Amino acid sequence: MFKVVHYVMYFAPFGAFGAMAVVVSTQGGDALMALGRLMLDVYVTCALFIFVVLWAVCKMAGFSLWKYLKYISEEILLVLGTSSSEAALPRMMAKLENAGANQSVVGLCLPMGYSFNLDGTCIYLTMAAVFLAQATNTPLTFADQLYMMFILLLTSKGAAAVTGGGFITLAATLGSVGSIPLASLTLLLGVDRFMSEARAITNLIGNGVATLVIAKWEGALDERKLQCVLAGDLSGDFADDPEEMLAEGKSVTNGSCPTDKA
């Protein structure tokens, strides 16, 4: 089976190229423009979700989104290169624990979020479904769109956090709903890989924020430690008592953040 999958992976680019070639030859360059617009819309929507919705959540939780993004920048680059948020799971768990979140909360919320809190995948699925409906001239009433969104909200919860998982989930959903032709998925084969990075990074950032917020709700977050780590003052391994920190030769600055004395 592994050998068969190995061969399939070798020939998959030819299949994607053939699907794109048919679309361009039959519909011309306008098809590429439409696909480019879809990619742009997905990236813009993911950016709005991160810098508007998640910013507001972080603000209410009492920490900075910008400092949080800087703290997990290495994990974001890892996801960008692999196009899979699973690749950064062990590092994210270690960093969130280092930032003051209780190990039990991190161990439950973060892995569960990878299956049930895929924000980027949900954004991609809903936008791709509407795009395919427009491309195939499939009429969708407002009620149909709400129904499709509801179904995709549910099916996105079971989408595996691996490369291409969202595309398979979209195919399964369209096949079960039946209103949009399943064959229209070939339109997305050539550009799905480029949108995969956006949804994977959004999933990573969203799950990390959710874990910190839930840890705070449950009283399992050392907020002083979180602020210090996000500020880059230290690695996170320090005494909780400021007097004990002073006794160890450290000064207390930046809201009780310990730093080595000069």
Side-chain angles (χ1 to χ4, degrees):
M1 285 301 300
F2 280 112
K3 198 65 176 178
V4 171
V5 173
H6 185 70
Y7 288 136
V8 170
M9 293 302 296
Y10 268 123
F11 285 98
F14 295 100
F17 173 78
M20 289 296 295
V22 171
V23 172
V24 175
S25 62
T26 56
Q27 302 186 25
D30 292 340
L32 292 180
M33 294 294 295
L35 290 173
R37 175 64 186 274
L38 173 64
M39 291 174 53
L40 177 63
D41 290 345
V42 169
Y43 272 86
V44 170
T45 305
C46 289
L48 288 175
F49 177 79
I50 293 172
F51 295 109
V52 177
V53 178
L54 292 185
W55 174 85
V57 172
C58 294
K59 189 74 173 178
M60 290 186 290
F63 63 93
S64 170
L65 172 67
W66 305 101
K67 292 181 180 179
Y68 165 74
L69 294 179
K70 182 179 179 181
Y71 178 61
I72 63 168
S73 58
E74 294 179 355
E75 286 67 36
I76 293 176
L77 292 176
L78 179 61
V79 172
L80 179 64
T82 60
S83 192
S84 172
S85 54
E86 274 193 349
L89 177 59
R91 292 176 57 92
M92 277 295 293
M93 294 181 68
K95 279 203 168 181
L96 292 178
E97 292 175 16
N98 181 67
N102 186 274
Q103 183 180 10
S104 61
V105 176
V106 174
L108 175 65
C109 294
L110 194 61
M112 183 176 291
Y114 270 59
S115 294
F116 296 101
N117 187 39
L118 301 178
D119 303 315
T121 301
C122 189
I123 291 172
Y124 163 76
L125 291 176
T126 51
M127 297 187 70
V130 173
F131 172 81
L132 294 178
Q134 294 176 342
T136 57
N137 292 321
T138 302
L140 290 178
T141 64
F142 183 69
D144 293 333
Q145 294 180 43
L146 289 179
Y147 174 70
M148 182 71 70
M149 182 182 70
F150 176 74
I151 296 298
L152 289 171
L153 283 172
L154 293 178
T155 54
S156 67
K157 305 308 178 187
V162 295
T163 304
F167 186 83
I168 301 302
T169 303
L170 178 62
T173 304
L174 296 184
S176 61
V177 174
S179 58
I180 301 176
L182 190 60
S184 62
L185 282 171
T186 56
L187 295 173
L188 301 178
L189 279 176
V191 296
D192 178 75
R193 178 63 175 78
F194 299 103
M195 292 182 286
S196 180
E197 288 93 349
R199 60 180 185 249
I201 291 175
T202 305
N203 293 337
L204 175 79
I205 296 173
N207 285 324
V209 170
T211 301
L212 292 176
V213 171
I214 292 175
K216 181 176 180 178
W217 287 352
E218 296 298 319
L221 177 65
D222 188 336
E223 297 188 47
R224 182 171 61 88
K225 185 176 181 179
L226 173 63
Q227 296 298 335
C228 292
V229 171
L230 294 186
D233 289 327
L234 75 170
S235 64
D237 297 325
F238 60 90
D240 293 329
D241 186 3
E243 294 183 0
E244 185 177 345
M245 289 188 291
L246 291 173
E248 292 179 355
K250 296 179 178 179
S251 61
V252 180
T253 60
N254 298 332
S256 298
C257 292
T259 58
D260 292 329
K261 288 184 177 180

